[in-house]
Amino acid sequence: MQAHSDSDESFFERAWAVVAQIPVGRVTTYGDIAAHLGRRGAARIVGWALKDAVGGDLPCHRVVNRNGVLTGRRHFETPHVMAERLRSEGVTFVAEDQVDLDAHRWRPGKR
């Protein structure tokens, strides 16, 4: 396990604040969140932040990788929970574990 620095902790909190804003039926990527927070290339750190937040009130299921793949699914109660939650919100898929990013992508800070 990787130790997190104080700067990572504040970055985690900022990432969580962005995740809290993702609308129902939309998804964003780890990289979109990192870029919005001014740390393009820090997508992996966003992933660590979400791993710490899964199981809480944040809609972590709405964050996918740059290709729309549900790479975070193994951190949920079962590997199917993430897809089930997205489908229940009307998110469509182009493959079993890949959302239609073109149809459902939400970019933080953009209308």
Side-chain angles (χ1 to χ4, degrees), residues 24-27 61-62 70 79-100 104:
V24 172
R26 305 293 298 276
V27 296
H61 64 283
R62 296 181 188 146
L70 311 183
H80 305 290
V81 167
M82 189 175 182
E84 289 167 0
R85 288 181 184 168
L86 290 170
R87 283 190 172 97
S88 76
E89 294 180 0
V91 174
T92 56
F93 285 68
V94 295
E96 184 178 336
D97 66 345
Q98 184 179 15
V99 300
D100 184 346
H104 301 283

Side-chain angles (χ1 to χ4, degrees), residues 30 47 50-52 54-55 71-79 82:
Y30 301 100
L50 295 191
K51 182 178 168 223
D52 284 359
V54 166
T71 52
R73 69 185 176 276
R74 70 180 181 274
H75 299 294
F76 288 83
E77 304 89 293
T78 73
M82 189 175 182

Side-chain angles (χ1 to χ4, degrees), residues 5 16 19 25 42-43 51 65 80 82 107:
S5 70
W16 296 333
V19 172
K51 182 178 168 223
N65 82 0
H80 305 290
M82 189 175 182
R107 292 182 193 260

